Structures are given as C-alpha cells and as structure tokens.
Amino acid sequence: MQKRRSAYERLISILQGASWALVLVGATIFFSLFYPFGFFTGIVGAFIGSLGGLFFVVLFEMAQQQNEKLEEIKKQTKLLEKLLEVTLDK
C-alpha cells in the first residue's frame, strides 16, 4: 500500500521538475548565444547557463531529503515509545 503524499511533497516534486527544465533552457540558450564564438565556448556557455537551474535542483533535492529524514525520525520515535511502553509494563 502506497502512502499518500502531502501537498508539500508534491510541491517539492513539481519544483524539482521545473528546476530541471530551467537547467535545459538555460543550457540551450547560453549554448546558442556562445556557439558563434566556437563550439568549445558554446559548451562552456551551456555549463554556465545551467548553473542557476542546477542550484535549484540541489536545493529542492535537499529539501526532499530533509522531509524524508523527518518522516523516518517520526517512525523511529513511535517505535521507541512502544518499546519503552512495553519495557515499563514488565
């Protein structure tokens, strides 16, 4: 059974996709702008153009990992509370 995702998780997922789109658009535009100066310059320009989007990709990936970490900590806390309850009852 799959757990239902929260609105926050769906938003992060959408923003990750938008960030990858920004990487592709930035790389394409900068490659097009710098290609007349040479292929290698176009490749360097594409890398520079993709940096903004890559920053957001990393940012939203970190947000998603922190959210997953929080959910895991909540699960562990519940298990530890149950364990403590069982040991105190004995």
Side-chain angles (χ1 to χ4, degrees), residues 1-2 4 6 9 18 23-25 27-28 37 41 43 45 50-51 54 56 58-59 61 63-65 69 81 83-84:
M1 184 171 156
Q2 191 169 358
R4 186 160 185 223
S6 69
E9 291 171 326
V23 168
L24 291 174
V25 168
T28 304
F37 301 109
T41 308
I43 296 292
S50 67
L51 287 178
L54 287 173
F56 287 110
V58 170
L59 183 76
E61 186 66 34
Q64 183 180 18
Q65 286 182 352
K69 181 179 169 184
E81 286 173 349
L83 183 62
L84 181 64

Side-chain angles (χ1 to χ4, degrees), residues 27-90:
T28 304
I29 288 173
F30 272 73
F31 180 80
S32 301
L33 289 173
F34 286 101
Y35 183 70
F37 301 109
F39 182 75
F40 181 72
T41 308
I43 296 292
V44 171
F47 175 72
I48 291 170
S50 67
L51 287 178
L54 287 173
F55 170 77
F56 287 110
V57 167
V58 170
L59 183 76
F60 294 128
E61 186 66 34
M62 286 178 13
Q64 183 180 18
Q65 286 182 352
Q66 289 299 320
N67 192 42
E68 290 172 1
K69 181 179 169 184
L70 177 64
E71 294 299 321
E72 190 63 33
I73 288 173
K74 285 180 182 179
K75 288 179 191 175
Q76 290 177 4
T77 302
K78 280 184 181 179
L79 289 172
L80 286 171
E81 286 173 349
K82 284 181 183 178
L83 183 62
L84 181 64
E85 194 176 289
V86 167
T87 57
L88 290 178
D89 287 342
K90 288 184 179 183

